[in-house]
Amino acid sequence: MDRFIIRGGRRLEGEITIGGAKNAGLKLMVAGLLTGERLILSNVPQIADIATMRDLLRQHGVAVENVDAEGRTLSIGGPIESVEAPYDIVSKMRASILVLGPLLARMHEARVSLPGGCAIGTRPVDMHLKGLETLGAQIRLENGYINASAPGGLVGDRVVLPFASVGATENLLMAATLAKGRTEIVNAAREPEIGDLVECLNRMGARISGSGTGTLVIDGVEALHGAEHAIMADRIECGTYACAAGITGGDLRLIGGRIGDLGAVIRTLEEAGVEVIAEENAIRVRRDGPLQGVDIMTEPYPGFPTDMQAQFMAMLSVAEGASMITETIFENRYMHVPELNRMGARINVHGSSAIIRGVPSLSGAPVMATDLRASFSLILAGLAAQGETVLSRIYHLDRGYEAVDRKLAAVGASIERVRE
């Protein structure tokens, strides 16, 4: 099992290229199930979750091939030979549940294991299943699997989501592209990654309107065709490296970052004393003065993203004054708090809120990653800490961040990956 050794106290300065978005790339790969023709995806991130999705699509019989030597461009398509998504693959990654809608739409049946992923909350799939039932699917839960069928095909209808769930919106959106008639998804999630998926599906021949709003309207078509699409830049990776500039008093140009995708993250950085400047095809993030405490509440987009909560907590642990973070999306997303406190942070959790009282400095310590985003919060703490931090269980990090040690080392960090 690999680990990172980080020696803190260095100001970060330079350029970091932001990769393709994990949360867009995975769904776009799944969209390849909707057509027998080739879907060509470029700007593909080199992360473990993409490799897992490649394995899952191949399990279905779909060809997934590298177009270039680096694997930055993928060709996806072909006949579906199996409608089963087995436990040994699905348990590695929660996004695997998204094959359910496309398999039902194209093959009229699916057998998908109940999903796994980071242990940050229950994240039930009820909304996915109820929405698909509204579109005419028959669903049974049996032996840890979702058994779904739509013998006559899916039929468009009005689906009202009780919560703006990203996963449910994406699953229903893809399923509806091949359903008979019109589907309305009300209270749909509005994340930029959904807009990226809509853009790709429309290039494949889908008829979807309402992107970026709370209501998506899909007029079903008989078949989708191949297309080419570049995956959007990863706004969470961009926000994470912005926090790295903030916590180290650094100055970073984040190449490919888009301010329009970050919304509340930008506003919160500026409130905390971090300067954010839009440049051509880049965002410049720097801090000269002290960090200031701020209050944050995670919310569905365009609110503050839950995927940035841990990184901001690390940064605010060395801010002047007190901060409060309230987590409204996942009920178990403070597992990084004890590890940050081991490094000298002063964080107390009360129910869904965490009170952070800023300290002058952190101290290096051996710490353990608990989930994907928490992994990077501990790297951020290590970058700012005095002494050496040893971060174990970094396989969580590899699921969603590419070449972290190389990117950080290139801008002045002392970070080394050690194989045990």
Side-chain angles (χ1 to χ4, degrees):
M1 210 180 296
D2 293 2
R3 56 184 176 167
F4 281 144
I5 298 177
I6 306 161
R7 297 169 185 87
R10 300 191 180 199
R11 181 175 183 268
L12 302 187
E13 188 171 4
E15 295 184 349
I16 292 176
T17 298
I18 303 303
K22 172 183 100 79
N23 289 338
L26 293 171
K27 323 315 169 47
L28 290 163
M29 290 177 72
V30 171
L33 290 171
L34 290 165
T35 177
E37 298 182 18
R38 291 287 170 180
L39 173 62
I40 309 297
L41 297 176
S42 57
N43 199 32
V44 178
Q46 302 298 290
I47 55 176
D49 274 8
I50 292 290
T52 300
M53 185 59 77
R54 184 189 294 117
D55 291 342
L56 180 56
L57 294 179
R58 286 174 174 165
Q59 152 72 24
H60 294 305
V62 173
V64 183
E65 300 167 350
N66 290 340
V67 175
D68 59 350
E70 296 80 23
R72 300 284 176 188
T73 303
L74 294 179
S75 169
I76 302 167
I80 294 173
E81 298 172 0
S82 169
V83 296
E84 179 167 332
Y87 172 76
D88 61 336
I89 298 178
V90 177
S91 62
K92 297 177 184 177
M93 182 181 64
R94 186 167 187 84
S96 305
I97 188 67
L98 293 175
V99 303
L100 180 60
L103 287 174
L104 267 174
R106 186 171 162 202
M107 304 299 291
H108 301 174
E109 61 176 328
R111 186 170 190 266
V112 179
S113 171
L114 289 165
C118 285
I120 57 175
T122 55
R123 298 191 284 183
V125 297
D126 299 24
M127 278 186 280
H128 301 242
L129 305 186
K130 289 176 182 175
L132 290 169
E133 285 178 329
T134 301
L135 301 184
Q138 301 167 14
I139 293 175
R140 294 188 336 272
L141 298 182
E142 192 172 54
N143 300 323
Y145 276 80
I146 302 163
N147 295 289
S149 64
L154 296 173
V155 179
D157 205 334
R158 189 171 189 263
V159 180
V160 181
L161 296 177
F163 174 80
S165 162
V166 174
T169 299
E170 291 164 334
N171 225 337
L172 295 169
L173 173 65
M174 288 189 281
T177 60
L178 298 180
K180 298 180 183 72
R182 172 169 286 190
T183 300
E184 256 190 290
I185 304 174
V186 181
N187 197 27
R190 295 184 281 165
E191 272 70 5
E193 293 81 6
I194 293 174
D196 206 33
L197 177 60
V198 168
E199 182 181 337
C200 179
L201 291 170
N202 281 341
R203 285 181 179 173
M204 296 168 68
R207 297 172 59 196
I208 305 165
S209 60
S211 181
T213 75
T215 301
L216 292 172
V217 178
I218 308 100
D219 289 303
V221 297
E222 287 191 9
L224 297 182
H225 53 70
E228 295 186 9
H229 183 79
I231 298 170
M232 65 177 283
D234 195 319
R235 65 189 174 102
I236 303 301
E237 183 187 19
C238 187
T240 299
Y241 285 118
C243 287
I247 200 170
T248 65
D251 187 345
L252 295 177
R253 289 188 75 243
L254 306 176
I255 309 300
R258 303 189 304 192
I259 276 186
D261 291 341
L262 288 163
V265 171
I266 300 294
R267 293 193 298 273
T268 310
L269 283 167
E270 291 174 338
E271 288 174 12
V274 181
E275 186 179 9
V276 183
I277 305 161
E279 298 185 352
E280 187 176 354
N281 194 37
I283 298 174
R284 186 177 179 187
V285 185
R286 63 187 180 189
R287 177 175 68 84
D288 295 321
L291 283 168
Q292 302 294 328
V294 296
D295 292 342
I296 296 170
M297 177 178 289
T298 64
E299 296 176 307
Y301 191 86
F304 188 93
T306 181
D307 278 353
M308 285 300 307
Q309 177 255 106
Q311 300 92 307
F312 266 79
M313 184 178 288
M315 186 178 73
L316 295 172
S317 68
V318 292
E320 291 184 352
S323 304
M324 183 169 74
I325 296 177
T326 302
E327 175 61 62
T328 70
I329 309 296
F330 296 124
E331 73 278 6
N332 195 26
R333 209 163 195 179
Y334 287 141
M335 292 186 290
H336 48 282
V337 169
E339 302 301 289
L340 288 171
N341 283 344
R342 281 172 51 77
M343 300 179 69
R346 294 178 61 204
I347 306 168
N348 294 301
V349 176
H350 303 278
S352 62
S353 295
I355 308 297
I356 305 109
R357 295 175 176 84
V359 296
S361 65
L362 300 173
S363 300
V367 289
M368 188 175 295
T370 54
D371 64 68
L372 171 57
R373 306 305 174 186
S375 303
F376 218 117
S377 74
L378 299 173
I379 289 177
L380 293 173
L383 292 173
Q386 298 176 359
E388 183 176 279
T389 297
V390 180
L391 175 60
S392 301
R393 294 176 66 181
I394 61 173
Y395 58 84
H396 288 291
L397 190 85
D398 292 336
R399 288 187 46 231
Y401 290 98
E402 179 182 345
V404 168
D405 48 336
R406 295 198 298 274
K407 288 186 177 185
L408 286 173
V411 294
S414 175
I415 180 169
E416 178 185 4
R417 188 177 189 123
V418 176
R419 299 192 179 277
E420 294 185 12

